[in-house]
Amino acid sequence: MPLNKAFHALADPTRRAVVRRLRDGAATVTELAESFDMALQSFMQHLKVPEDCGLVKSKKVGRVRICEIDHQQIGSAEEWVSEFCRARERRLDRLDEHLNNVGKKRKKHDK
Amino acid sequence: MPLNKAFHALADPTRRAVVRRLRDGAATVTELAESFDMALQSFMQHLKVPEDCGLVKSKKVGRVRICEIDHQQIGSAEEWVSEFCRARERRLDRLDEHLNNVGKKRKKHDK
């Protein structure tokens, strides 16, 4: 299930850091390893998890491996969380409206 | 780490369903079990994970256990994902602007 995979991939600080770095554009594995101050070999191990989760995809161009975010996968997580936020905001708006109405009625009653 | 916990809690369909149900307000464990068409005992097992992750908190009021979302925990996940979206949108805006400028220069050149 894509959502399970996406959230699982985000449940680790190194994986989140890779995703955040790639948000600004594709990068080679060497560039990524450098920006995390890691040996290429160790970094390859770290990269395996978000790749397995389908959050990051990579392709070999000549002798270089280029990584980028799989926006479809992270998009499903974005959608779930933002729908959650919007629904919560709508609920708070309704509460706000209700409290305003109670306030108005009270004022009217106090007059 | 709160973010790890929050994303871990969201990486499972039952846990997401509990969170979505509680988004609209607190509910007793019995109400939750009913809305998931589950025996109370089985549901209690399912509820344990988001509670352990700190995404859902519960308190006993008399003989009833009331569950609600721990907004601080899910808030950190919201923040991370929405910051990710905003930064991506800003990047797309800049790309859009760049392409517009290229288009304008081309038109000028073609005249």
Side-chain angles (χ1 to χ4, degrees), chain A residues 1 8 13 26-28 46 59-60 68 74-75 78-79 84-85 101 104-105 107:
Chain A
M1 202 185 184
H8 172 68
T28 66
H46 272 290
K59 57 180 175 199
K60 209 150 182 194
E68 58 181 341
I74 202 165
E78 273 174 39
E79 221 168 277
F84 185 92
C85 302
N101 285 339
K104 276 181 198 160
K105 273 185 192 161
K107 259 189 183 165

Side-chain angles (χ1 to χ4, degrees), chain A residues 48-104:
Chain A
K48 220 188 155 302
V49 190
E51 265 203 281
D52 288 346
C53 288
L55 212 64
V56 168
K57 51 188 181 184
S58 73
K59 57 180 175 199
K60 209 150 182 194
V61 180
R63 283 165 58 185
V64 172
R65 181 165 288 280
I66 297 175
C67 302
E68 58 181 341
I69 285 176
D70 187 338
H71 286 291
Q72 201 178 356
Q73 198 83 289
I74 202 165
S76 59
E78 273 174 39
E79 221 168 277
W80 197 92
V81 180
S82 57
E83 169 50 31
F84 185 92
C85 302
R86 280 197 299 275
R88 202 188 148 205
E89 271 159 24
R90 283 197 297 271
R91 206 183 145 237
L92 290 175
D93 283 347
R94 283 201 300 274
L95 183 66
D96 210 34
E97 205 177 310
H98 171 73
L99 291 176
N100 270 335
N101 285 339
V102 169
K104 276 181 198 160

Side-chain angles (χ1 to χ4, degrees), chain A residues 1 3-4 7-8 10-13 16 19-20 23-25 69 71 74 78 80-81 84-85 87-88 91, chain B residues 1 3-4 7-8 10-11 13 16 19-20 23-25 69 71 74 78 80-81 84-85 87-88 91:
Chain A
M1 202 185 184
L3 264 179
N4 295 0
F7 283 125
H8 172 68
L10 293 174
D12 171 273
R16 281 197 301 277
V19 167
R20 194 155 39 192
R23 175 188 69 191
D24 302 323
I69 285 176
H71 286 291
I74 202 165
E78 273 174 39
W80 197 92
V81 180
F84 185 92
C85 302
R88 202 188 148 205
R91 206 183 145 237
Chain B
M1 202 186 184
L3 265 179
N4 296 359
F7 284 125
H8 172 68
L10 293 174
R16 283 197 299 277
V19 167
R20 194 155 40 193
R23 175 190 69 192
D24 302 322
I69 286 177
H71 287 289
I74 203 166
E78 274 174 38
W80 197 91
V81 181
F84 185 92
C85 302
R88 203 188 148 204
R91 207 185 144 235

Side-chain angles (χ1 to χ4, degrees), chain B residues 51 57-61 64-68:
Chain B
E51 265 203 281
K57 51 188 180 182
S58 73
K59 57 180 173 196
K60 206 146 186 199
V61 181
V64 172
R65 181 165 289 279
I66 297 174
C67 301
E68 58 182 340

Side-chain angles (χ1 to χ4, degrees), chain B residues 42-86:
Chain B
S42 319
F43 186 72
M44 294 287 277
Q45 290 298 319
H46 273 289
L47 195 62
K48 220 188 154 302
V49 190
E51 265 203 281
D52 287 347
C53 289
L55 212 64
V56 168
K57 51 188 180 182
S58 73
K59 57 180 173 196
K60 206 146 186 199
V61 181
R63 283 165 58 185
V64 172
R65 181 165 289 279
I66 297 174
C67 301
E68 58 182 340
I69 286 177
D70 188 337
H71 287 289
Q72 200 179 357
Q73 198 84 289
I74 203 166
S76 59
E78 274 174 38
E79 220 169 278
W80 197 91
V81 181
S82 57
E83 169 51 29
F84 185 92
C85 302
R86 278 197 301 274

